[in-house]
């Protein structure tokens, strides 16, 4: 009888325990789904707050939603972006570190996530972290304009100018990258590449680097101007004049002359005769008078510069600009004519004031 009672008690106990177990699984399932719904609700509210520029609330809600595995990557990424808008650098680093731990396997990360992450590192000037990700996903650079853009920008910051120049070859073929962006990169990348040929090697290496560029590339304005600027800044006058002189033999466009006259040209043996030849035919040409005045000023031929500026300022007012006025005032100061220089500065001030008004 005792054994029968014990057996019955055991059956009752198992039934109770089984029911409890079934109840426990159902309860945990409800809790899990409730947590997911709550996380999704916080995420949606966080996105809405972000769109409405309420970045503080967005960060708070997105961090709460990051606790759910399915939302963690997007949540941390948007939270970091919200913190970036608030300039909370420590928070950004924390979220990006959390994101990195969540996405240890590169195959599980979308390229969009990688692009945003690198962009945030770049904006925070954490270039080493940006470089690491770019190297991890280097196979995608040639297929994604955003990664290619970040590769070029990061290379320029790292002063890897020659590499940036090489990557620009791909950028020019990419329809998703604008011409204006390429122009901005070319200004910095080619100037840096030319300068490094001089600092790391010598002028012969600089000339060789220039000569090895394709003709199409040399014909691009920023590429050629950067080379002229490096030559001028480093007093490589012979090479500089040899390149500028052919440009002046024909009726050069005013926009090109305006850029050339900004160069710190020290020697003008080949340049001035060509300019004077144009002025002999067109004595009232504003573009050639302005060019002559600036080149004479840069090469410290003050009397010639003053004479050219005086001729320029006898023309209608729209024949000269603010740059001409400022340069003329400096020429007069070098000639020890401060009163006349002050008059020019006053004219410059009045014209600027009139333009603003």
């Amino acid at each position: 009888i005792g054994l029968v009672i014990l057996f019955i008690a055991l059956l009752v106990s198992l039934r109770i325990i089984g029911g409890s177990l079934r109840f426990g699984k159902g309860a945990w399932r409800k809790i899990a789904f409730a947590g997911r719904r709550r996380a999704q609700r916080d995420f949606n509210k966080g996105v809405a707050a972000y769109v409405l520029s309420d970045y503080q609330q967005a960060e708070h809600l997105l961090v709460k939603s990051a606790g759910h595995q399915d939302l963690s990557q997007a949540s941390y990424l948007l939270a970091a972006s919200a913190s970036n808008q608030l300039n909370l650098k420590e928070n950004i680093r924390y979220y990006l570190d959390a994101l990195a731990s969540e996405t240890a396997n590169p195959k599980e990360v979308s390229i969009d996530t990688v692009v945003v992450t690198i962009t945030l590192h770049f904006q925070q000037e954490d270039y080493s972290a940006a470089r690491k990700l770019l190297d991890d996903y280097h196979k995608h650079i040639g297929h994604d304009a955003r990664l290619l853009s970040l590769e070029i920008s990061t290379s320029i910051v790292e002063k890897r100018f020659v590499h940036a120049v090489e990557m620009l070859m791909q950028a020019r073929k990419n329809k998703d990258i604008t011409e204006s962006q390429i122009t901005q990169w070319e200004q910095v990348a080619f100037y840096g590449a030319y300068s490094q040929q001089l600092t790391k090697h010598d002028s012969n290496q600089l000339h060789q680097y220039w000569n090895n560029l394709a003709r199409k590339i040399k014909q691009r304005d920023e590429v050629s101007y950067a080379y002229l600027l490096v030559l001028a800044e480093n007093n490589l006058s012979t090479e500089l004049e040899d390149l500028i002189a052919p440009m002046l033999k024909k009726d050069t466009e005013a926009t090109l002359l305006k850029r050339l006259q900004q160069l710190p040209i020290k020697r003008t043996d080949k340049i001035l005769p060509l300019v004077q030849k144009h002025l002999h035919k067109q004595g009232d040409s504003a573009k050639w008078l302005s060019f002559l005045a600036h080149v004479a000023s840069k090469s410290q031929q003050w009397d010639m510069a003053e004479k050219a500026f005086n001729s320029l300022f006898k023309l209608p007012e729209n024949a000269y600009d603010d740059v001409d006025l400022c340069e003329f005032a400096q020429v007069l100061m070098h000639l020890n004519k401060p009163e006349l220089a002050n008059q020019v500065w006053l004219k410059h001030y009045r014209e600027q004031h009139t333009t603003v008004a």
Side-chain angles (χ1 to χ4, degrees), residues 79-337:
S81 183
S83 297
N84 187 50
Q85 297 291 339
L86 298 169
N87 198 29
L88 300 173
K89 295 187 176 182
E90 290 186 7
N91 290 21
I92 297 167
R93 292 193 194 97
Y94 174 80
Y95 299 139
L96 290 179
D97 288 343
L99 178 64
S101 64
E102 291 281 338
T103 56
N105 186 355
K107 294 181 180 179
E108 298 176 356
V109 186
S110 69
I111 293 300
D112 294 326
T113 298
V114 174
V115 169
V116 176
T117 306
I118 295 173
T119 301
L120 288 169
H121 281 306
F122 189 88
Q123 291 172 348
Q124 292 302 307
E125 300 181 2
D126 189 355
Y127 303 122
S128 60
R131 168 52 59 199
K132 183 180 184 307
L133 281 171
L134 283 166
D135 289 345
D136 287 343
Y137 293 88
H138 69 278
K139 292 181 180 179
H140 299 275
I141 289 174
H143 306 286
D144 191 289
R146 300 165 302 174
L147 283 177
L148 178 57
S149 297
L150 287 165
E151 173 67 30
I152 295 171
S153 296
T154 304
S155 297
I156 288 173
V157 170
E158 295 169 330
K159 300 187 185 304
R160 297 172 62 202
F161 298 115
V162 173
H163 175 68
V165 166
E166 292 170 356
M167 299 307 294
L168 277 168
M169 297 290 288
Q170 293 185 41
R172 293 188 196 96
K173 298 175 184 177
N174 196 307
K175 295 179 181 179
D176 294 325
I177 300 177
T178 64
E179 182 64 25
S180 61
Q181 179 60 78
I182 290 174
T183 298
Q184 290 177 29
W185 284 327
E186 284 180 340
Q187 288 176 345
V188 183
F190 275 93
Y191 178 83
Y194 296 143
S195 298
Q196 284 183 344
Q197 303 309 308
L198 275 175
T199 55
K200 293 184 177 181
H201 305 284
D202 53 28
S203 60
N204 291 329
Q205 181 63 34
L206 169 62
H207 303 324
Q208 184 177 344
Y209 185 79
W210 165 258
N211 290 330
N212 288 340
L213 294 175
R215 181 179 296 180
K216 271 188 177 180
I217 302 301
K218 289 180 182 179
Q219 290 173 347
R220 295 182 64 85
D221 290 345
E222 299 307 325
V223 175
S224 58
Y225 185 79
Y227 184 58
L228 295 175
L229 182 57
V230 170
L231 291 176
E233 288 178 342
N234 291 277
N235 296 320
L236 298 171
S237 302
T238 301
E239 297 87 344
L240 180 64
E241 283 199 292
D242 287 343
L243 286 171
I244 292 179
M247 301 179 192
L248 305 179
K249 289 181 179 180
K250 297 180 180 180
D251 190 23
T252 313
E253 291 183 4
T255 52
L256 177 57
L257 289 177
K258 284 290 183 185
R259 293 206 74 183
L260 292 177
Q261 69 191 31
Q262 296 172 19
L263 295 169
I265 300 172
K266 299 294 189 297
R267 206 170 75 194
T268 58
D269 299 344
K270 296 179 182 179
I271 293 173
L272 285 183
L274 293 170
V275 178
Q276 289 167 339
K277 185 177 179 181
H278 284 289
L279 285 170
H280 182 71
K281 296 178 181 178
Q282 312 170 54
D284 58 350
S285 172
K287 67 179 183 181
W288 288 111
L289 283 171
S290 176
F291 185 76
L292 174 61
H294 281 274
V295 170
S297 174
K298 295 291 193 303
S299 57
Q300 299 183 4
Q301 300 179 67
W302 309 119
D303 291 330
M304 182 186 294
E306 181 188 22
K307 184 178 179 182
F309 274 126
N310 279 327
S311 298
L312 177 64
F313 283 97
K314 288 177 183 178
L315 300 176
E317 287 192 1
N318 60 1
Y320 58 85
D321 57 21
D322 287 342
V323 178
D324 293 321
L325 281 168
C326 293
E327 190 72 23
F328 188 24
Q330 292 180 36
V331 168
L332 292 170
M333 289 298 293
H334 280 290
L335 291 169
N336 197 25
K337 297 180 180 180

Side-chain angles (χ1 to χ4, degrees), residues 11-24:
L11 286 176
V12 171
S13 298
L14 288 172
R15 183 178 294 274
I16 293 173
I17 292 171
S20 299
L21 287 173
R22 285 195 294 273
F23 174 79

